[in-house]
């Protein structure tokens, strides 16, 4: 009789299985089913759908092929894998697919309580087939009736039973249609049943029978050879993310990442772990809803992951508990902590591994490398199982044992002492408080908040408890992004110590909530000034928080932008500086508070801080340093550190620090001409502002988006953004957003050559004779003001402004400011073209780092040369400017450059579509249409291109006819994708 299995397949494999399943039969376990997929070409949805399974296309294809094979000959396959990996779910879908193909399906499952009952598993298969027993020879029918208990007598030998079962299945498959035997938990079958089914799988006949069984990968009953097996792997990262996202759409990304890491692709864990979490924990509504260090298990997960842990000897289980709480995998530490009570001897590693940990290693729970001195849990949820099976007393013992062997003063020792302590203990509370600050300096803000909350719980006095709660509130407002926690923490602090509400920590926390949530700068200012004025220096921890209150006050002054705020700040800072040795405070005051007049003296200290950012781990210090670098053009040196802050925020760490980090990176990208990055970074920052209620932070992102829209000619968006900034900031007394709104309006006006409007908006920011004090953004507008003033006849104001810029030493702040000052001075000269100054500006080392600024300088230089009848000399500058504007997508500026180039006697390159197809517009028609699309009237276009308005109208009529439009309203859409040449823009990259 021909047999099932690889003997037949190896000799004569079916075409659909040739080269994959046939080969799989020669080994016990098929590697990940990519081996199968590799020969099938593009994957399509397997017949019958996925049954709701995610990421199992390979396994379902394998099942389909098995069923296809079994329609002509018998076949068998064992699915193996870790508990919870989804073997049972695959069997369910396989059963449905078999029925859809016309198979008769018989199911069975092993059970622990039936493992010692002879033929219990086989009976599940035979009982639905009792009607067919009559088709067998009498002896074989009698043998199976005895097995089923339908007849008296002793069961025959296993080989006889196996032969009878094989014959029965063969007859059914041949005469009644294909038969599918699906057996779950094969490893829990009784041994006689497993033996019979193994024999049937290896030596069954050619009848149309398929056996599909599932078992754990370490099942001892799995046939050793002669049968095909496929190990079901954990889900890949993409499939695991899809499964969790579909089932739990409201879960925050940080919590989702934590669950993905803990589950390691195990589908049961992915679906069950969230069940043990509250909705507040899933959405991380507040810091009090943070996840525990070790996630709790549901009953189903406990059954899967706790079984082998519970079977361990007590000594092994306690060592695993130490390993869970230590979380370093250091066997040397475990050997010291696990030494017998009352002794000081360290367990030898060899003894620890051989005697104490070997049961856990043999059970497949851990990997132990004695040579490297490391222990690793095979699955993260084993840690949860160990914790679930431990008592409170055992956990306190383990914390104490670990604390006893860790060095004095270490963070880990302090936190283990906290875990071992019940009730208030001021000594331990002080240690944990100190550990919180050390953790914060290391960059782990969320752990720092947790440590402060634990320190408050351990505090014996109300004053200490309130102080630590206020510090946790401060970090929640300014670092971790948990504004929702601030009020509750401050209320709790006030309840235990009402006098603590005026402490610097409490004031900084409350001011942060007012400022970030609603932009209430005046309310935040009053809170901070009162608390700082009342503070009595002395306590080191309080002095640290005094420094944080001063930093918060500086933020208020920066947002307010009013001179009287800064004057008060200077008085307070002078009084308290001896007690706040933070080097960043004076640097920020000079470089951010009033860079035009006060940055020069602090630049050496700022450069030193920037050079050390690669070693800096505190996200707050990184963001503050980068903020100081913003207006003195040192942001490029902060990029890598800012990216680290952003990455930490994306992982759920310092979320409130990640928002300004994103905006600082966007600011740097705007100056550097990476404008696609600006859009991506500001979009992410604004999304985080919205989800965490950081409304004040959003204005800087909107400012950058408004500037980008203005530079690219989207005047409607630019105008709307500027108007929203102004309407939001005016009732709140916030000067900085108003300045940014005026900048957007001015840049938009300059792009369309409306110099009168630009001048009006710019003089609203700075008086004509000098850059306004305490308005750092004025340094960004030196060229803008000079161009608007000279083009509107305000030559004296332009000269006075530039004289004040030079007198303040602004050119010494950065090469960019030196370049702009030189070029603006040349532009403001009413008597001729100062080629020496223009050339000096353009030759600034590294000038290409600021492409938009450099292109505008070249445009201004070209305009002056062309109007002084030096057209030939003007063309290279105009061409270079035009090329840069095209690359950036700065359409209004491209139109201005193209107009000047045409006026110089050189036509721009032919007009082409983005695909390289010629468009039948003349260069003059294209220039005119581009300017009209930005909203300029015919007279304004004529003034810019030095044409008559009648000529402009004629060009527009020609453009309308060729573009098949009838009005200016259709110009923007008609010109989309059209340029002088195909534009090669840099690819957008993830930041």
């Amino acid at each position: 009789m021909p047999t099932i299995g690889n003997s037949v397949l190896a000799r004569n494999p079916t075409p659909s299985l040739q080269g994959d399943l046939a080969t799989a039969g020669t080994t016990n376990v098929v590697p990940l089913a990519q081996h199968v997929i590799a020969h099938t070409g593009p994957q399509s949805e397997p017949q019958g759908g996925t049954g709701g399974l995610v990421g199992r296309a390979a396994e379902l294809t394998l099942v389909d092929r098995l069923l296809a094979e079994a329609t002509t000959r018998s076949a068998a396959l064992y699915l193996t894998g870790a508990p919870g990996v989804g073997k049972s779910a695959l069997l369910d879908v396989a059963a449905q697919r078999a029925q859809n193909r016309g198979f008769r399906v018989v199911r069975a499952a092993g059970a622990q309580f039936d493992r010692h009952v002879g033929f219990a598993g086989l009976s599940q298969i035979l009982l639905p087939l009792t009607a067919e027993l009559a088709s067998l020879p009498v002896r074989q029918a009698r043998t199976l009736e005895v097995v089923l208990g339908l007849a008296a007598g002793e069961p025959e030998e296993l080989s006889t039973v196996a032969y009878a079962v094989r014959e029965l299945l063969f007859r059914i498959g041949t005469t009644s249609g294909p038969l599918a035997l699906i057996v779950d938990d094969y490893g829990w079958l009784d041994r006689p049943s497993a033996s019979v089914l193994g024999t049937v799988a290896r030596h069954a006949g050619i009848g149309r029978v398929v056996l599909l069984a599932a078992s754990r990968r370490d099942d001892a009953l799995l046939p050793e050879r002669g049968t095909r097996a496929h190990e079901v792997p954990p889900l890949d990262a993409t499939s695991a993310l899809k499964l969790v996202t579909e089932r739990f759409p409201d879960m925050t990304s940080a919590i989702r990442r934590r669950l993905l890491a803990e589950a390691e692709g195990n589908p049961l864990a992915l679906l069950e772990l969230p069940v043990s979490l509250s909705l507040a924990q899933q959405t991380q509504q507040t810091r009090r809803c943070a996840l525990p260090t070790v996630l709790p298990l549901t009953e189903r997960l406990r059954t899967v992951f706790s079984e082998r842990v519970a079977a361990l000897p007590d000594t092994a289980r306690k060592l695993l508990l130490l390993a869970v709480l230590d979380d370093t995998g250091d066997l040397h530490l475990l050997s010291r902590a696990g030494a017998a009570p009352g002794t000081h001897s360290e367990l030898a590693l060899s003894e620890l591994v051989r005697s104490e940990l070997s049961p856990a290693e043999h059970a497949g729970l851990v990997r132990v490398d004695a040579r490297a001195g490391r222990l690793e849990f095979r699955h993260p949820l084993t840690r949860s199982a160990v914790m679930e099976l431990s008592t409170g007393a055992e956990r306190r013992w383990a914390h104490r044992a670990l604390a006893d062997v860790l060095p004095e003063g270490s963070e880990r020792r302090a936190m283990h002492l906290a875990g071992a302590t019940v009730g208030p203990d001021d000594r331990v509370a002080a240690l944990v408080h100190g550990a919180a600050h050390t953790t914060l300096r290391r960059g782990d803000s969320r752990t720092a908040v947790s440590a402060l909350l634990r320190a408050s719980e351990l505090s014996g006095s109300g004053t200490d408890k309130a102080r630590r709660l206020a510090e946790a509130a401060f970090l929640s407002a300014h670092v971790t992004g948990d504004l929702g926690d601030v009020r509750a923490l401050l209320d709790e602090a006030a309840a235990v110590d009402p006098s603590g509400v005026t402490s610097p920590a409490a004031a900084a926390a409350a001011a942060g909530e007012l400022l970030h949530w609603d932009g209430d700068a005046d309310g935040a200012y009053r809170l901070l000034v009162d608390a700082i004025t009342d503070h009595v220096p002395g306590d080191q921890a309080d002095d640290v928080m005094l420094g944080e209150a001063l930093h918060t006050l500086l933020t208020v002054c920066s947002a307010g932008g009013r001179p009287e705020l800064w004057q008060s700040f200077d008085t307070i800072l002078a009084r308290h500086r001896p007690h706040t040795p933070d080097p960043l405070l004076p640097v920020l005051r000079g470089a951010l508070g009033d860079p035009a007049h006060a940055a020069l003296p602090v630049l050496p200290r700022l450069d030193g801080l920037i050079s050390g950012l690669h070693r800096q781990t505190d996200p707050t210090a990184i963001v503050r340093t980068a903020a100081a670098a913003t207006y003195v053009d040192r942001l490029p040196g902060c990029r890598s550190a800012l990216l680290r802050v952003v990455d930490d925020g994306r992982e759920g760490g310092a979320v409130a620090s990640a928002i300004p980090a994103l905006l600082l990176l966007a600011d740097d990208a705007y100056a550097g001409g990476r404008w696609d990055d600006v859009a991506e970074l500001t979009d992410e920052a604004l999304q985080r502002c919205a989800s965490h209620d950081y409304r004040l932070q959003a204005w800087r992102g909107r400012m950058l988006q408004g500037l980008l829209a203005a530079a690219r000619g989207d005047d409607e968006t630019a105008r709307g953004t500027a108007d929203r900034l102004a309407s939001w900031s005016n009732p709140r007394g916030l000067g900085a957003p108003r300045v940014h709104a005026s900048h957007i309006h001015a840049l938009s006006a300059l792009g369309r050559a409306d110099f009168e409007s630009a001048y009006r908006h710019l003089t609203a920011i700075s008086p004509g004779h000098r850059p306004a004090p305490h308005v750092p953004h004025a340094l960004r507008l030196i060229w803008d003001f000079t161009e608007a003033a000279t083009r509107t006849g305000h030559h004296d104001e332009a000269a006075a402004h530039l004289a004040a810029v030079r007198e303040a030493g602004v050119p010494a702040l950065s090469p960019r400011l030196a370049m702009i000052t030189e070029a603006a001075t040349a532009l403001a000269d009413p008597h001729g073209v100062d080629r020496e100054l223009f050339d000096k500006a353009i030759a600034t080392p590294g000038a290409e780092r600021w492409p938009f600024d450099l292109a505008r300088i070249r445009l201004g230089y070209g305009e002056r040369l062309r109007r002084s009848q030096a057209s030939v000399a003007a063309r290279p500058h105009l061409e270079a400017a035009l090329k840069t504007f095209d690359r950036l997508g700065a359409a209004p500026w491209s139109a201005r450059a193209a107009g000047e180039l045409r006026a110089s006697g050189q036509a721009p390159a032919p007009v082409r579509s983005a695909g390289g197809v010629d468009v039948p517009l003349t260069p003059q028609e294209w220039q005119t249409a581009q300017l009209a699309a930005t909203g300029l009237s015919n007279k304004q276009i004529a003034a810019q291109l030095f044409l008559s308005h009648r000529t402009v109208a004629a060009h527009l009529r020609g453009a309308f006819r060729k573009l098949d439009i009838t009005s200016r309203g259709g110009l923007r859409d008609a010109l989309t994708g059209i340029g002088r040449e195909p534009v090669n823009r840099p690819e957008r990259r993830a930041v």
Side-chain angles (χ1 to χ4, degrees):
M1 178 181 297
T3 61
I4 290 180
N6 21 303
S7 56
V8 171
L9 290 173
R11 290 194 303 271
N12 187 25
T14 60
S16 63
L17 297 176
Q18 201 163 11
D20 38 60
L21 291 183
T23 307
T26 63
T27 60
N28 193 39
V29 178
V30 181
L32 219 64
Q34 297 147 337
H35 181 63
V36 176
I37 297 174
H39 295 82
T40 63
Q43 288 297 295
S44 58
E45 179 73 12
Q47 182 177 342
T50 64
L53 300 183
V54 173
R56 294 303 185 202
E59 282 70 25
L60 294 177
T61 299
L62 191 62
V63 167
D64 280 340
R65 292 184 171 190
L66 185 76
L67 296 174
E69 178 189 359
T71 58
T72 57
R73 66 187 67 199
S74 296
L77 175 68
Y78 288 86
L79 298 177
T80 66
V85 81
K87 301 181 297 297
S88 297
L90 279 168
L91 292 184
D92 290 341
V93 177
Q96 184 59 53
R97 291 186 174 213
Q99 287 181 337
N100 293 343
R101 287 176 176 266
F103 279 75
R104 180 179 181 180
V105 177
V106 176
R107 302 196 65 169
Q112 282 180 297
F113 53 83
D114 280 341
R115 292 186 71 174
H116 303 294
V117 179
F119 294 117
L122 190 60
S123 296
Q124 295 180 56
I125 294 173
L126 295 178
L127 280 173
L129 307 176
T130 51
E132 282 80 1
L133 292 180
S135 65
L136 293 176
V138 174
R139 182 180 175 186
Q140 291 179 340
R142 173 78 177 178
T143 296
L144 297 185
E145 287 172 353
V146 170
V147 167
L148 289 170
L150 300 177
E154 292 293 326
E156 298 282 352
E157 293 182 356
L158 285 180
S159 59
T160 303
V161 174
Y163 183 80
V165 170
R166 185 180 61 186
E167 185 63 23
L168 174 65
L169 300 179
F170 166 74
R171 289 173 181 265
I172 293 173
T174 302
T175 61
S176 303
L179 176 66
L181 307 180
I182 296 180
V183 183
D184 202 357
D185 290 324
Y186 185 90
W188 284 346
L189 288 177
D190 59 281
R191 285 191 174 275
S193 296
S195 179
V196 168
L197 289 176
T199 302
V200 168
R202 287 193 300 271
H203 304 294
I206 61 173
R208 296 175 296 170
V209 180
V210 62
L211 172 61
L212 182 60
S215 179
R216 295 185 181 183
R217 69 162 72 95
D218 54 356
D219 174 29
L221 294 181
L222 189 68
E224 295 182 0
R225 56 183 180 175
T227 55
R228 286 172 291 168
H230 169 73
E231 182 169 348
V232 180
L235 294 177
D236 60 76
T238 302
S239 299
L241 176 62
K242 179 182 179 183
L243 178 62
V244 175
T245 303
E246 287 180 352
R247 297 296 182 90
F248 306 98
D250 296 329
M251 186 181 293
T252 63
S253 58
I255 302 301
R256 189 179 295 121
R257 283 192 295 271
R258 170 75 187 279
L259 292 181
L260 292 172
E262 293 281 343
E264 283 194 344
N266 186 291
L268 180 64
L270 290 168
L271 295 176
E272 286 287 312
L273 278 175
V275 174
S276 64
L277 306 178
S278 66
L279 179 60
Q281 285 177 315
Q282 290 186 32
T283 55
Q284 207 172 30
Q285 293 170 358
T286 68
R287 179 69 189 119
R288 292 295 180 92
C289 299
L291 299 188
T293 304
V294 179
L295 296 182
L297 301 179
T298 62
E299 190 61 39
R300 290 183 68 188
L301 287 175
R302 195 175 296 116
T303 300
V304 170
F305 287 95
S306 299
E307 175 190 352
R308 286 176 286 178
V309 175
L312 293 176
D314 285 346
T315 53
R317 192 164 54 81
K318 287 186 175 182
L319 281 170
L320 292 190
L321 179 60
L322 289 169
V324 170
L325 295 177
D326 171 60
D327 201 28
T328 66
D330 185 350
L331 283 178
H332 296 279
L333 182 67
L334 296 184
S335 66
R336 297 199 305 274
T343 70
H344 299 285
S345 61
E346 179 182 327
L347 292 174
L349 279 182
S350 58
E351 178 65 22
L352 182 75
V353 173
R354 184 176 68 253
S355 301
E356 310 297 340
L357 287 175
S358 59
E361 194 172 16
H362 291 155
L365 299 172
V366 296
R367 298 183 185 92
V368 177
D369 185 345
R371 178 172 297 180
R374 310 296 300 172
L375 175 146
E376 177 187 352
F377 285 94
R378 287 183 176 271
H379 196 285
L381 291 184
T382 303
R383 299 165 63 250
S384 298
V386 171
M387 287 289 284
E388 295 263 346
L389 292 172
S390 65
T391 64
E394 287 173 331
R395 290 193 288 274
R396 287 191 295 274
W397 163 83
H399 279 300
R400 172 63 67 178
L402 290 166
D404 287 344
V405 298
L406 288 167
E408 290 280 346
S410 69
E411 302 165 59
R412 291 166 59 203
R413 182 174 185 273
M415 298 313 298
H416 283 304
L417 285 174
T421 302
V422 178
D425 188 319
D426 285 330
R427 182 184 68 87
V428 176
L431 291 173
V432 175
H433 189 181
H437 284 278
T438 303
T439 303
L440 182 63
R441 287 192 296 272
R442 198 178 64 244
D444 189 352
S445 55
R446 289 204 169 272
T447 300
V449 173
S450 296
L452 286 170
L453 295 176
R454 181 59 179 144
S456 73
E457 294 170 353
L458 293 167
S459 301
S461 73
T463 301
D464 289 339
K465 185 179 184 72
R467 179 177 63 178
R468 287 154 184 162
L469 286 169
E471 289 185 25
F474 168 80
L475 292 181
S476 296
H478 294 276
V479 183
T480 63
D482 297 311
L483 277 181
D485 281 351
V486 175
R487 180 49 47 196
L489 289 169
L490 291 177
D491 288 346
E492 189 176 342
V496 297
D497 182 15
S499 65
V501 297
T502 59
S503 70
E513 183 190 29
L514 286 173
L515 190 65
H516 291 305
W517 184 73
D518 197 39
D520 186 357
D522 290 337
Y525 179 82
R526 287 190 296 271
L527 275 174
L528 289 164
V529 169
D530 290 344
I532 295 170
T533 302
D534 294 342
H535 175 70
V536 178
D539 184 279
Q540 183 178 1
D542 279 348
D543 286 349
V544 169
M545 293 312 301
L546 172 65
E548 297 298 343
L550 285 167
H551 273 293
T552 308
L553 183 60
L554 188 146
T555 301
V556 171
C557 295
S558 181
R562 303 197 299 272
E564 65 270 19
L565 297 179
W566 284 111
Q567 292 163 7
S568 177
F569 177 84
D570 289 339
T571 302
I572 292 172
L573 181 60
R575 183 187 312 140
H576 290 281
R577 182 174 291 177
H579 310 290
T580 55
D582 185 345
L584 264 171
L585 271 170
V587 171
L588 276 164
R589 173 61 185 93
L592 183 63
D594 192 7
H597 305 95
L600 205 54
V602 301
L603 283 186
R605 277 178 286 174
L606 175 59
D607 289 334
L609 291 169
I610 293 173
S611 67
L613 281 180
H614 67 284
R615 297 186 300 271
Q616 181 61 262
T617 55
D618 183 353
T620 303
I622 291 171
V623 169
R624 287 171 178 168
T625 302
T630 302
Y631 288 105
V632 291
D633 301 314
R634 282 157 170 78
L635 270 179
C638 307
R639 282 177 199 159
S640 60
L642 288 170
L643 284 169
R644 283 191 277 120
V645 176
V646 170
D647 288 341
D648 180 55
R650 287 168 176 165
E651 295 296 323
V655 174
S657 298
I659 294 172
L662 283 163
L663 295 173
L664 288 163
L665 286 167
D667 196 303
D668 176 58
Y670 179 80
R674 302 183 306 278
W675 286 2
D676 286 340
D677 287 350
V678 175
E680 291 180 5
L681 289 162
T682 53
D683 283 346
E684 181 179 353
L686 290 176
Q687 187 276 327
R688 292 186 180 278
C689 287
S691 61
H692 290 82
D693 282 332
Y694 279 75
R695 302 176 187 178
L696 179 69
Q697 300 271 23
W699 62 258
R700 192 170 187 85
R702 295 196 180 98
M703 178 270 291
L704 287 166
Q705 290 185 343
L707 286 178
L708 194 59
R712 285 180 162 170
D714 186 355
D715 285 350
E716 184 178 351
T717 298
R719 184 169 52 253
T721 301
D723 290 345
R724 284 194 296 275
L725 280 175
S727 64
W728 187 81
S729 60
N730 286 337
R732 293 169 172 81
L734 297 172
R738 280 202 306 272
V739 167
H740 293 159
S742 295
H743 185 186
I744 294 169
H745 281 306
L747 186 65
S748 185
L750 288 170
R752 60 179 185 270
D754 184 357
F755 299 109
E756 288 287 355
S757 294
Y759 182 77
R760 185 175 66 255
H761 287 296
L762 290 167
T763 51
I765 298 172
S766 281
H769 62 281
R770 62 168 182 156
H774 308 296
V775 181
H777 211 69
L779 288 183
R780 300 277 175 89
L781 304 173
I782 295 171
W783 176 267
D784 300 62
F785 181 84
T786 304
E787 183 179 27
T790 55
R791 294 296 291 268
T792 54
H794 297 87
H795 297 287
D796 292 342
E797 287 87 341
H801 193 90
L802 289 168
V805 166
R806 289 186 176 279
E807 183 180 356
V810 169
L813 295 179
S814 75
R816 173 178 169 271
L817 289 169
M819 175 184 75
I820 289 174
T821 303
E822 297 286 358
T825 302
L827 185 70
D829 186 349
H831 305 296
V833 183
D834 192 332
R835 295 195 183 193
E836 183 178 352
L837 272 182
F838 269 123
D839 290 339
K840 181 181 178 182
I842 292 171
T844 299
E848 65 280 354
R849 290 178 292 173
W850 310 288
F852 189 48
D853 293 326
L854 181 60
R856 291 179 65 189
I857 290 170
R858 284 187 174 277
L859 173 61
Y861 190 9
E863 287 174 340
R864 294 297 302 273
L865 286 170
R866 201 268 306 165
R867 290 171 191 174
S868 66
Q869 308 304 313
S871 296
V872 175
R875 289 168 190 163
H877 299 293
L878 295 172
E879 288 173 342
L882 181 59
K883 183 177 180 180
T884 299
F885 292 142
D886 276 349
R887 179 179 66 80
L888 295 174
W893 305 89
S894 291
R896 281 186 56 182
E900 288 292 333
L901 195 59
R902 184 196 62 80
S904 75
Q906 177 175 318
V911 179
R912 294 180 183 174
S913 71
V917 179
D918 287 345
V919 175
L921 295 183
T922 68
Q924 294 86 352
E925 289 169 343
W926 185 90
Q927 295 157 24
T928 306
Q930 280 280 357
L931 289 171
T934 67
L936 294 184
S937 67
N938 285 7
K939 288 186 177 180
Q940 290 171 321
I941 297 171
Q944 183 166 329
L945 299 182
F946 301 97
L947 302 171
S948 73
H949 68 276
R950 294 184 181 86
T951 302
V952 169
H955 287 327
L956 282 178
R957 284 195 296 272
F960 288 173
R961 183 180 68 257
K962 293 175 182 179
L963 294 172
D964 196 23
I965 58 175
T966 57
S967 69
R968 302 167 91 95
L971 272 176
R972 185 183 296 274
D973 291 338
L975 294 175
T976 298
I978 295 177
R980 276 165 303 281
E981 57 185 12
V983 179
N984 295 316
R985 298 196 182 180
E987 294 183 1
R988 295 179 66 156
R989 60 183 181 85
V991 178

